[in-house]
Amino acid sequence: AQSVTQLDSQVPVFEEAPVELRCNYSSSVSVYLFWYVQYPNQGLQLLLKYLSGSTLVKGINGFEAEFNKSQTSFHLRKPSVHISDTAEYFCAVSAETPTDKLIFGTGTRLQVFP
Amino acid sequence: GAVVSQHPSWVICKSGTSVKIECRSLDFQATTMFWYRQFPKQSLMLMATSNEGSKATYEQGVEKDKFLINHASLTLSTLTVTSAHPEDSSFYICSAGDPRASKAFFGQGTRLTVV
């Protein structure tokens, strides 16, 4: 079975500062990893995904993540955040195929202050 | 634009009534769709897998007689919350995977409030 752990429930940060949102996963098989962003009362928008190949994945809105198999991590980073990045961020894993059901972490609330 | 459309975006219903939520894939066919539930300030929990032309697969602890799922076509899955109670109030989100894009797309979600 797969599981996802997001270590930080909330991350406060000032505008233009860098940020890292942590995600660790556990799985006995190869996995596909995703980061989603959710704005209040809205669905989820895919930020980026890791399927295979290069371990550094670049996504939308200036976000990137690095897949580290030895540490079973997939941390999300952004070098300079904006107020508009304030949202809930979810790390997710799928074991079967990239389009299969997802197991989500508990989410990290990113709060960007001016 | 949205490739998975969910309707309605919000609904208020009386306790004991039933509510139907629709999930449509707009520009691709989806033999499988997924229904998730999200409580306030919590993560998404998979409720069931909707399979076109066959019975849905429910996750452990989800009442199949209460949450009826129908996937009658390759572009539409419906979730009906029967005899709704206030504890069913939640945010329900559907998703469908597009193999061409190697990813799943999510609907906008439905905020259900049972009073």
Side-chain angles (χ1 to χ4, degrees):
Chain A
Q2 298 80 40
S3 67
V4 178
T5 301
Q6 290 183 246
L7 298 168
D8 307 298
S9 59
Q10 296 185 67
V11 173
V13 64
F14 286 108
E15 193 173 20
E16 298 183 5
V19 71
E20 178 180 82
L21 306 184
R22 297 181 292 172
C23 172
N24 287 87
Y25 69 93
S26 66
S27 176
S28 58
V29 297
S30 297
V31 295
Y32 305 101
L33 295 158
F34 307 83
W35 274 100
Y36 287 88
V37 60
Q38 184 181 36
Y39 298 99
N41 292 311
Q42 294 187 29
L44 277 73
Q45 181 181 14
L46 181 67
L47 285 175
L48 47 79
K49 60 183 178 181
Y50 172 78
L51 304 182
S52 65
S54 174
T55 57
L56 183 62
V57 181
K58 293 190 181 297
I60 62 171
N61 301 341
F63 285 94
E64 65 179 31
E66 185 157 18
F67 171 62
N68 188 318
K69 188 174 182 178
S70 63
Q71 296 186 6
T72 60
S73 67
F74 190 55
H75 301 331
L76 181 70
R77 302 185 183 97
K78 186 170 182 177
S80 175
V81 295
H82 301 290
I83 296 287
S84 58
D85 292 323
T86 295
E88 192 81 21
Y89 291 79
F90 292 97
C91 182
V93 62
S94 170
E96 301 293 331
T97 69
T99 58
D100 201 6
K101 60 186 177 183
L102 295 172
I103 306 299
F104 286 88
T106 49
T108 298
R109 170 73 176 172
L110 176 62
Q111 181 75 51
V112 181
F113 295 93
Chain B
V3 294
V4 172
S5 177
Q6 191 172 337
H7 178 81
S9 56
W10 61 270
V11 59
I12 301 174
C13 71
K14 291 185 177 181
S15 188
T17 62
S18 295
V19 173
K20 179 184 286 188
I21 303 170
E22 293 186 347
C23 181
R24 295 180 184 273
S25 56
L26 299 182
D27 65 350
F28 65 95
Q29 295 182 332
T31 56
T32 303
M33 293 185 178
F34 303 97
W35 287 96
Y36 298 85
R37 181 174 182 176
Q38 185 180 30
F39 289 105
K41 301 187 184 302
Q42 293 188 29
S43 188
L44 286 78
M45 298 299 294
L46 180 68
M47 296 176 66
T49 301
S50 174
N51 304 300
E52 188 269 335
S54 64
K55 292 182 179 180
T57 304
Y58 291 83
E59 295 299 301
Q60 189 173 6
V62 178
E63 299 175 61
K64 62 180 181 180
D65 295 329
K66 181 169 188 60
F67 297 101
L68 300 179
I69 291 173
N70 183 278
H71 195 149
S73 78
L74 287 170
T75 59
L76 173 64
S77 174
T78 60
L79 169 67
T80 301
V81 183
T82 63
S83 186
H85 291 285
E87 56 264 32
D88 298 325
S89 298
S90 189
F91 194 56
Y92 294 88
I93 307 176
C94 69
S95 78
D98 186 352
R100 302 170 304 174
S102 295
K103 65 181 181 181
F105 293 93
F106 285 80
Q108 306 94 317
T110 297
R111 172 72 60 191
L112 171 63
T113 302
V114 184
V115 297

